[in-house]
Short mmCIF file of all heavy atoms in Angstrom, two decimals:
data_model
loop_
_atom_site.label_atom_id
_atom_site.label_comp_id
_atom_site.label_asym_id
_atom_site.label_seq_id
_atom_site.Cartn_x
_atom_site.Cartn_y
_atom_site.Cartn_z
N ARG A 473 12.29 -6.89 7.07
CA ARG A 473 12.53 -5.95 5.96
C ARG A 473 13.03 -6.68 4.71
O ARG A 473 12.51 -6.49 3.61
CB ARG A 473 13.53 -4.89 6.40
CG ARG A 473 14.11 -4.06 5.25
CD ARG A 473 15.20 -3.12 5.75
NE ARG A 473 16.03 -2.68 4.64
CZ ARG A 473 17.11 -3.32 4.22
NH1 ARG A 473 17.50 -4.46 4.83
NH2 ARG A 473 17.80 -2.87 3.19
N LEU A 474 14.04 -7.52 4.89
CA LEU A 474 14.58 -8.26 3.76
C LEU A 474 13.54 -9.19 3.15
O LEU A 474 13.48 -9.36 1.92
CB LEU A 474 15.81 -9.06 4.20
CG LEU A 474 17.04 -8.23 4.57
CD1 LEU A 474 18.13 -9.12 5.18
CD2 LEU A 474 17.58 -7.47 3.35
N HIS A 475 12.72 -9.79 4.00
CA HIS A 475 11.67 -10.68 3.51
C HIS A 475 10.64 -9.91 2.68
O HIS A 475 10.21 -10.39 1.62
CB HIS A 475 10.99 -11.36 4.69
CG HIS A 475 9.94 -12.35 4.30
ND1 HIS A 475 10.24 -13.59 3.78
CD2 HIS A 475 8.58 -12.28 4.33
CE1 HIS A 475 9.12 -14.24 3.51
NE2 HIS A 475 8.10 -13.47 3.83
N PHE A 476 10.25 -8.73 3.14
CA PHE A 476 9.27 -7.93 2.38
C PHE A 476 9.87 -7.47 1.05
O PHE A 476 9.20 -7.53 0.01
CB PHE A 476 8.82 -6.72 3.21
CG PHE A 476 7.64 -6.01 2.62
CD1 PHE A 476 6.35 -6.45 2.89
CD2 PHE A 476 7.81 -4.93 1.76
CE1 PHE A 476 5.25 -5.81 2.33
CE2 PHE A 476 6.72 -4.28 1.20
CZ PHE A 476 5.43 -4.72 1.48
N LEU A 477 11.12 -7.03 1.07
CA LEU A 477 11.77 -6.61 -0.17
C LEU A 477 11.89 -7.76 -1.16
O LEU A 477 11.71 -7.59 -2.37
CB LEU A 477 13.15 -6.03 0.13
CG LEU A 477 13.18 -4.69 0.89
CD1 LEU A 477 14.61 -4.33 1.26
CD2 LEU A 477 12.55 -3.59 0.05
N ALA A 478 12.18 -8.96 -0.65
CA ALA A 478 12.25 -10.14 -1.51
C ALA A 478 10.88 -10.44 -2.12
O ALA A 478 10.77 -10.85 -3.28
CB ALA A 478 12.77 -11.34 -0.73
N GLY A 479 9.82 -10.23 -1.32
CA GLY A 479 8.47 -10.42 -1.83
C GLY A 479 8.15 -9.45 -2.96
O GLY A 479 7.53 -9.82 -3.96
N LEU A 480 8.57 -8.20 -2.81
CA LEU A 480 8.38 -7.22 -3.89
C LEU A 480 9.13 -7.67 -5.14
O LEU A 480 8.61 -7.57 -6.26
CB LEU A 480 8.89 -5.85 -3.45
CG LEU A 480 8.11 -5.11 -2.35
CD1 LEU A 480 8.85 -3.83 -1.97
CD2 LEU A 480 6.69 -4.80 -2.80
N ASP A 481 10.34 -8.15 -4.95
CA ASP A 481 11.18 -8.54 -6.08
C ASP A 481 10.57 -9.70 -6.87
O ASP A 481 10.67 -9.73 -8.10
CB ASP A 481 12.57 -8.93 -5.58
CG ASP A 481 13.56 -9.11 -6.71
OD1 ASP A 481 13.70 -8.18 -7.52
OD2 ASP A 481 14.17 -10.18 -6.79
N ARG A 482 9.93 -10.64 -6.16
CA ARG A 482 9.33 -11.78 -6.87
C ARG A 482 7.84 -11.56 -7.18
O ARG A 482 7.15 -12.48 -7.62
CB ARG A 482 9.52 -13.07 -6.06
CG ARG A 482 8.81 -13.13 -4.74
CD ARG A 482 9.00 -14.50 -4.07
NE ARG A 482 8.28 -14.58 -2.82
CZ ARG A 482 8.78 -14.24 -1.64
NH1 ARG A 482 10.03 -13.80 -1.57
NH2 ARG A 482 8.06 -14.32 -0.56
N ARG A 483 7.38 -10.33 -6.91
CA ARG A 483 5.98 -9.95 -7.22
C ARG A 483 4.97 -10.82 -6.44
O ARG A 483 3.95 -11.25 -6.98
CB ARG A 483 5.69 -10.01 -8.71
CG ARG A 483 6.69 -9.31 -9.62
CD ARG A 483 6.84 -7.82 -9.28
NE ARG A 483 7.59 -7.11 -10.30
CZ ARG A 483 8.84 -6.68 -10.16
NH1 ARG A 483 9.49 -6.91 -9.01
NH2 ARG A 483 9.45 -6.02 -11.12
N ASP A 484 5.28 -11.07 -5.19
CA ASP A 484 4.38 -11.85 -4.34
C ASP A 484 3.06 -11.09 -4.19
O ASP A 484 3.06 -9.92 -3.79
CB ASP A 484 5.02 -12.05 -2.97
CG ASP A 484 4.27 -13.03 -2.10
OD1 ASP A 484 3.04 -13.15 -2.25
OD2 ASP A 484 4.91 -13.67 -1.25
N PRO A 485 1.92 -11.71 -4.50
CA PRO A 485 0.64 -11.01 -4.38
C PRO A 485 0.38 -10.41 -3.01
O PRO A 485 -0.32 -9.40 -2.90
CB PRO A 485 -0.38 -12.11 -4.71
CG PRO A 485 0.34 -13.04 -5.61
CD PRO A 485 1.75 -13.05 -5.08
N VAL A 486 0.95 -11.01 -1.95
CA VAL A 486 0.68 -10.51 -0.61
C VAL A 486 1.29 -9.12 -0.39
O VAL A 486 0.87 -8.39 0.51
CB VAL A 486 1.20 -11.51 0.46
CG1 VAL A 486 2.70 -11.39 0.66
CG2 VAL A 486 0.45 -11.33 1.78
N THR A 487 2.25 -8.72 -1.24
CA THR A 487 2.83 -7.38 -1.15
C THR A 487 2.02 -6.36 -1.93
O THR A 487 2.34 -5.16 -1.90
CB THR A 487 4.26 -7.35 -1.70
OG1 THR A 487 4.24 -7.60 -3.12
CG2 THR A 487 5.15 -8.38 -1.01
N GLY A 488 0.99 -6.81 -2.65
CA GLY A 488 0.19 -5.92 -3.48
C GLY A 488 0.82 -5.62 -4.83
O GLY A 488 0.20 -4.98 -5.69
N LEU A 489 2.06 -6.06 -5.04
CA LEU A 489 2.78 -5.73 -6.28
C LEU A 489 2.65 -6.87 -7.28
O LEU A 489 3.60 -7.59 -7.57
CB LEU A 489 4.25 -5.45 -5.97
CG LEU A 489 5.03 -4.77 -7.09
CD1 LEU A 489 4.55 -3.34 -7.30
CD2 LEU A 489 6.53 -4.76 -6.79
N ASN A 490 1.45 -7.04 -7.80
CA ASN A 490 1.20 -8.09 -8.78
C ASN A 490 0.01 -7.66 -9.62
O ASN A 490 -1.04 -7.32 -9.07
CB ASN A 490 0.92 -9.42 -8.07
CG ASN A 490 0.85 -10.59 -9.02
OD1 ASN A 490 0.01 -10.63 -9.91
ND2 ASN A 490 1.73 -11.57 -8.83
N ASP A 491 0.18 -7.66 -10.94
CA ASP A 491 -0.89 -7.19 -11.82
C ASP A 491 -1.50 -8.31 -12.67
O ASP A 491 -2.16 -8.05 -13.67
CB ASP A 491 -0.41 -6.06 -12.73
CG ASP A 491 0.79 -6.44 -13.60
OD1 ASP A 491 1.22 -7.62 -13.54
OD2 ASP A 491 1.30 -5.57 -14.32
N ALA A 492 -1.30 -9.56 -12.25
CA ALA A 492 -1.96 -10.67 -12.95
C ALA A 492 -3.47 -10.50 -12.82
O ALA A 492 -3.98 -10.12 -11.76
CB ALA A 492 -1.51 -12.00 -12.37
N ASP A 493 -4.19 -10.79 -13.90
CA ASP A 493 -5.64 -10.58 -13.90
C ASP A 493 -6.33 -11.31 -12.77
O ASP A 493 -7.22 -10.76 -12.11
CB ASP A 493 -6.23 -11.02 -15.25
CG ASP A 493 -5.85 -10.11 -16.39
OD1 ASP A 493 -5.43 -8.96 -16.11
OD2 ASP A 493 -5.95 -10.54 -17.56
N GLU A 494 -5.92 -12.55 -12.51
CA GLU A 494 -6.60 -13.33 -11.48
C GLU A 494 -6.32 -12.78 -10.07
O GLU A 494 -7.17 -12.83 -9.18
CB GLU A 494 -6.21 -14.80 -11.54
CG GLU A 494 -4.74 -15.12 -11.31
CD GLU A 494 -3.91 -15.08 -12.58
OE1 GLU A 494 -4.34 -14.44 -13.57
OE2 GLU A 494 -2.81 -15.68 -12.58
N VAL A 495 -5.12 -12.21 -9.90
CA VAL A 495 -4.78 -11.62 -8.60
C VAL A 495 -5.58 -10.34 -8.38
O VAL A 495 -6.12 -10.11 -7.29
CB VAL A 495 -3.26 -11.33 -8.52
CG1 VAL A 495 -2.93 -10.54 -7.25
CG2 VAL A 495 -2.48 -12.63 -8.54
N LEU A 496 -5.66 -9.50 -9.41
CA LEU A 496 -6.44 -8.26 -9.29
C LEU A 496 -7.91 -8.57 -9.04
O LEU A 496 -8.57 -7.90 -8.23
CB LEU A 496 -6.29 -7.42 -10.55
CG LEU A 496 -4.89 -6.85 -10.80
CD1 LEU A 496 -4.85 -6.08 -12.11
CD2 LEU A 496 -4.45 -5.95 -9.65
N ALA A 497 -8.44 -9.58 -9.71
CA ALA A 497 -9.84 -9.95 -9.51
C ALA A 497 -10.06 -10.44 -8.09
O ALA A 497 -11.07 -10.10 -7.45
CB ALA A 497 -10.24 -11.03 -10.52
N TYR A 498 -9.13 -11.22 -7.59
CA TYR A 498 -9.25 -11.72 -6.21
C TYR A 498 -9.23 -10.56 -5.21
O TYR A 498 -10.03 -10.53 -4.28
CB TYR A 498 -8.11 -12.69 -5.91
CG TYR A 498 -8.08 -13.16 -4.47
CD1 TYR A 498 -8.95 -14.15 -4.03
CD2 TYR A 498 -7.20 -12.60 -3.56
CE1 TYR A 498 -8.93 -14.57 -2.70
CE2 TYR A 498 -7.18 -13.01 -2.24
CZ TYR A 498 -8.05 -14.00 -1.82
OH TYR A 498 -8.04 -14.41 -0.51
N HIS A 499 -8.34 -9.62 -5.40
CA HIS A 499 -8.26 -8.48 -4.48
C HIS A 499 -9.52 -7.62 -4.55
O HIS A 499 -9.98 -7.11 -3.52
CB HIS A 499 -7.02 -7.64 -4.79
CG HIS A 499 -5.76 -8.24 -4.27
ND1 HIS A 499 -4.51 -7.93 -4.76
CD2 HIS A 499 -5.54 -9.14 -3.28
CE1 HIS A 499 -3.59 -8.60 -4.11
NE2 HIS A 499 -4.19 -9.34 -3.21
N ARG A 500 -10.09 -7.47 -5.75
CA ARG A 500 -11.34 -6.70 -5.86
C ARG A 500 -12.45 -7.42 -5.09
O ARG A 500 -13.27 -6.78 -4.43
CB ARG A 500 -11.73 -6.52 -7.32
CG ARG A 500 -10.91 -5.46 -8.05
CD ARG A 500 -11.53 -5.09 -9.38
NE ARG A 500 -11.52 -6.20 -10.32
CZ ARG A 500 -10.53 -6.44 -11.18
NH1 ARG A 500 -9.46 -5.63 -11.21
NH2 ARG A 500 -10.58 -7.46 -12.01
N LEU A 501 -12.50 -8.74 -5.21
CA LEU A 501 -13.48 -9.52 -4.45
C LEU A 501 -13.26 -9.33 -2.96
O LEU A 501 -14.21 -9.07 -2.20
CB LEU A 501 -13.35 -11.00 -4.82
CG LEU A 501 -14.08 -12.01 -3.92
CD1 LEU A 501 -15.59 -11.85 -4.07
CD2 LEU A 501 -13.65 -13.44 -4.28
N LEU A 502 -12.01 -9.44 -2.54
CA LEU A 502 -11.69 -9.39 -1.12
C LEU A 502 -12.03 -8.02 -0.52
O LEU A 502 -12.76 -7.93 0.48
CB LEU A 502 -10.20 -9.68 -0.94
CG LEU A 502 -9.66 -9.77 0.47
CD1 LEU A 502 -10.32 -10.91 1.23
CD2 LEU A 502 -8.14 -9.96 0.44
N TYR A 503 -11.49 -6.98 -1.12
CA TYR A 503 -11.65 -5.64 -0.54
C TYR A 503 -13.01 -5.01 -0.86
O TYR A 503 -13.38 -4.00 -0.26
CB TYR A 503 -10.52 -4.72 -1.00
CG TYR A 503 -9.17 -5.15 -0.48
CD1 TYR A 503 -8.17 -5.58 -1.35
CD2 TYR A 503 -8.91 -5.16 0.89
CE1 TYR A 503 -6.92 -5.98 -0.87
CE2 TYR A 503 -7.67 -5.57 1.38
CZ TYR A 503 -6.69 -5.97 0.49
OH TYR A 503 -5.47 -6.39 0.98
N GLY A 504 -13.73 -5.62 -1.78
CA GLY A 504 -15.04 -5.09 -2.14
C GLY A 504 -16.19 -5.78 -1.42
O GLY A 504 -17.36 -5.47 -1.68
N THR A 505 -15.90 -6.70 -0.53
CA THR A 505 -16.94 -7.44 0.19
C THR A 505 -16.79 -7.16 1.68
O THR A 505 -15.82 -7.61 2.31
CB THR A 505 -16.80 -8.96 -0.07
OG1 THR A 505 -16.78 -9.21 -1.48
CG2 THR A 505 -17.96 -9.72 0.56
N PRO A 506 -17.72 -6.43 2.29
CA PRO A 506 -17.58 -6.03 3.70
C PRO A 506 -17.33 -7.19 4.66
O PRO A 506 -16.51 -7.06 5.58
CB PRO A 506 -18.92 -5.34 3.99
CG PRO A 506 -19.34 -4.78 2.67
CD PRO A 506 -18.91 -5.81 1.66
N SER A 507 -18.01 -8.30 4.47
CA SER A 507 -17.83 -9.41 5.41
C SER A 507 -16.43 -10.00 5.30
O SER A 507 -15.87 -10.48 6.30
CB SER A 507 -18.88 -10.50 5.17
OG SER A 507 -18.75 -11.06 3.86
N LEU A 508 -15.84 -9.95 4.12
CA LEU A 508 -14.47 -10.45 3.96
C LEU A 508 -13.47 -9.48 4.57
O LEU A 508 -12.49 -9.90 5.19
CB LEU A 508 -14.16 -10.67 2.48
CG LEU A 508 -14.93 -11.80 1.80
CD1 LEU A 508 -14.64 -11.81 0.30
CD2 LEU A 508 -14.60 -13.15 2.41
N VAL A 509 -13.71 -8.19 4.39
CA VAL A 509 -12.83 -7.19 5.01
C VAL A 509 -12.85 -7.33 6.52
O VAL A 509 -11.81 -7.26 7.18
CB VAL A 509 -13.26 -5.76 4.60
CG1 VAL A 509 -12.47 -4.72 5.38
CG2 VAL A 509 -13.05 -5.55 3.10
N ALA A 510 -14.04 -7.56 7.08
CA ALA A 510 -14.16 -7.74 8.52
C ALA A 510 -13.35 -8.95 8.99
O ALA A 510 -12.68 -8.91 10.03
CB ALA A 510 -15.62 -7.90 8.91
N ARG A 511 -13.41 -10.03 8.22
CA ARG A 511 -12.65 -11.23 8.59
C ARG A 511 -11.15 -11.00 8.46
O ARG A 511 -10.35 -11.63 9.16
CB ARG A 511 -13.08 -12.42 7.73
CG ARG A 511 -14.44 -12.97 8.07
CD ARG A 511 -14.49 -13.54 9.49
NE ARG A 511 -13.56 -14.63 9.68
CZ ARG A 511 -13.83 -15.89 9.36
NH1 ARG A 511 -15.01 -16.22 8.86
NH2 ARG A 511 -12.93 -16.84 9.54
N LEU A 512 -10.75 -10.10 7.57
CA LEU A 512 -9.32 -9.79 7.43
C LEU A 512 -8.74 -9.21 8.71
O LEU A 512 -7.57 -9.42 9.03
CB LEU A 512 -9.11 -8.80 6.28
CG LEU A 512 -8.88 -9.39 4.89
CD1 LEU A 512 -8.72 -8.27 3.88
CD2 LEU A 512 -7.67 -10.30 4.87
N TYR A 513 -9.55 -8.47 9.44
CA TYR A 513 -9.06 -7.91 10.70
C TYR A 513 -8.72 -9.03 11.69
O TYR A 513 -7.78 -8.92 12.47
CB TYR A 513 -10.08 -6.96 11.29
CG TYR A 513 -10.19 -5.64 10.53
CD1 TYR A 513 -11.37 -5.28 9.90
CD2 TYR A 513 -9.10 -4.79 10.44
CE1 TYR A 513 -11.46 -4.09 9.20
CE2 TYR A 513 -9.18 -3.60 9.73
CZ TYR A 513 -10.37 -3.25 9.12
OH TYR A 513 -10.45 -2.07 8.41
N GLY A 514 -9.52 -10.09 11.67
CA GLY A 514 -9.21 -11.24 12.51
C GLY A 514 -7.90 -11.88 12.10
O GLY A 514 -7.09 -12.28 12.95
N PHE A 515 -7.68 -11.99 10.80
CA PHE A 515 -6.42 -12.51 10.28
C PHE A 515 -5.26 -11.66 10.77
O PHE A 515 -4.23 -12.17 11.22
CB PHE A 515 -6.48 -12.52 8.75
CG PHE A 515 -5.14 -12.67 8.08
CD1 PHE A 515 -4.57 -13.92 7.89
CD2 PHE A 515 -4.44 -11.56 7.62
CE1 PHE A 515 -3.34 -14.06 7.26
CE2 PHE A 515 -3.22 -11.69 7.01
CZ PHE A 515 -2.67 -12.94 6.82
N GLN A 516 -5.43 -10.33 10.71
CA GLN A 516 -4.38 -9.42 11.13
C GLN A 516 -4.08 -9.59 12.62
O GLN A 516 -2.91 -9.59 13.03
CB GLN A 516 -4.78 -7.98 10.84
CG GLN A 516 -3.70 -6.97 11.19
CD GLN A 516 -4.06 -5.56 10.75
OE1 GLN A 516 -4.81 -5.36 9.82
NE2 GLN A 516 -3.52 -4.59 11.45
N ARG A 517 -5.12 -9.72 13.43
CA ARG A 517 -4.89 -9.89 14.87
C ARG A 517 -4.13 -11.18 15.17
O ARG A 517 -3.25 -11.20 16.05
CB ARG A 517 -6.24 -9.89 15.61
CG ARG A 517 -6.89 -8.51 15.70
CD ARG A 517 -8.03 -8.51 16.69
NE ARG A 517 -9.11 -9.39 16.29
CZ ARG A 517 -10.12 -9.03 15.52
NH1 ARG A 517 -10.18 -7.79 15.03
NH2 ARG A 517 -11.08 -9.88 15.21
N ARG A 518 -4.46 -12.25 14.45
CA ARG A 518 -3.74 -13.50 14.68
C ARG A 518 -2.29 -13.39 14.22
O ARG A 518 -1.38 -13.96 14.84
CB ARG A 518 -4.46 -14.66 13.98
CG ARG A 518 -5.80 -15.00 14.62
CD ARG A 518 -6.38 -16.27 14.05
NE ARG A 518 -6.70 -16.16 12.63
CZ ARG A 518 -7.85 -15.69 12.16
NH1 ARG A 518 -8.79 -15.27 12.98
NH2 ARG A 518 -8.08 -15.64 10.85
N SER A 519 -2.05 -12.66 13.14
CA SER A 519 -0.68 -12.43 12.68
C SER A 519 0.11 -11.66 13.72
O SER A 519 1.28 -11.96 13.99
CB SER A 519 -0.69 -11.66 11.35
OG SER A 519 -1.28 -12.41 10.32
N GLU A 520 -0.53 -10.64 14.29
CA GLU A 520 0.12 -9.85 15.33
C GLU A 520 0.47 -10.70 16.55
O GLU A 520 1.56 -10.58 17.10
CB GLU A 520 -0.79 -8.69 15.74
CG GLU A 520 -0.97 -7.63 14.66
CD GLU A 520 -2.09 -6.66 14.98
OE1 GLU A 520 -2.76 -6.85 16.04
OE2 GLU A 520 -2.31 -5.72 14.21
N ALA A 521 -0.49 -11.54 16.96
CA ALA A 521 -0.25 -12.38 18.13
C ALA A 521 0.90 -13.36 17.90
O ALA A 521 1.75 -13.57 18.78
CB ALA A 521 -1.52 -13.15 18.50
N ALA A 522 0.94 -13.96 16.70
CA ALA A 522 2.02 -14.90 16.39
C ALA A 522 3.37 -14.19 16.37
O ALA A 522 4.37 -14.70 16.90
CB ALA A 522 1.75 -15.58 15.05
N LEU A 523 3.41 -13.00 15.76
CA LEU A 523 4.66 -12.25 15.70
C LEU A 523 5.09 -11.79 17.08
O LEU A 523 6.29 -11.83 17.41
CB LEU A 523 4.52 -11.05 14.76
CG LEU A 523 5.75 -10.15 14.62
CD1 LEU A 523 6.96 -10.95 14.17
CD2 LEU A 523 5.46 -9.02 13.64
N ALA A 524 4.14 -11.35 17.90
CA ALA A 524 4.46 -10.93 19.26
C ALA A 524 5.14 -12.06 20.02
O ALA A 524 6.11 -11.84 20.76
CB ALA A 524 3.20 -10.47 19.99
N GLY A 525 4.64 -13.27 19.85
CA GLY A 525 5.25 -14.42 20.50
C GLY A 525 6.67 -14.65 20.01
O GLY A 525 7.57 -14.94 20.80
N ALA A 526 6.88 -14.51 18.70
CA ALA A 526 8.22 -14.71 18.14
C ALA A 526 9.19 -13.63 18.61
O ALA A 526 10.40 -13.85 18.69
CB ALA A 526 8.16 -14.72 16.61
N LEU A 527 8.66 -12.44 18.93
CA LEU A 527 9.50 -11.34 19.40
C LEU A 527 9.77 -11.41 20.90
O LEU A 527 10.44 -10.54 21.44
CB LEU A 527 8.84 -10.00 19.06
CG LEU A 527 8.76 -9.65 17.58
CD1 LEU A 527 7.93 -8.38 17.37
CD2 LEU A 527 10.15 -9.46 16.98
N GLY A 528 9.22 -12.43 21.54
CA GLY A 528 9.50 -12.61 22.95
C GLY A 528 8.37 -12.27 23.88
O GLY A 528 8.52 -12.35 25.11
N GLY A 529 7.23 -11.86 23.30
CA GLY A 529 6.07 -11.58 24.13
C GLY A 529 6.21 -10.28 24.90
O GLY A 529 7.09 -9.45 24.62
#
Side-chain angles (χ1 to χ4, degrees):
R473 166 185 161 271
L474 291 172
H475 183 75
F476 191 85
L477 292 173
L480 292 175
D481 190 54
R482 65 176 182 270
R483 310 303 191 253
D484 190 330
V486 79
T487 67
L489 195 68
N490 188 299
D491 57 4
D493 290 342
E494 62 272 21
V495 172
L496 293 178
Y498 175 79
H499 282 158
R500 284 193 294 269
L501 168 67
L502 184 62
Y503 294 116
T505 307
S507 62
L508 293 174
V509 172
R511 288 296 299 276
L512 270 178
Y513 287 117
F515 164 84
Q516 183 174 333
R517 286 193 297 272
R518 291 189 296 274
S519 295
E520 292 168 356
L523 178 56
L527 292 173

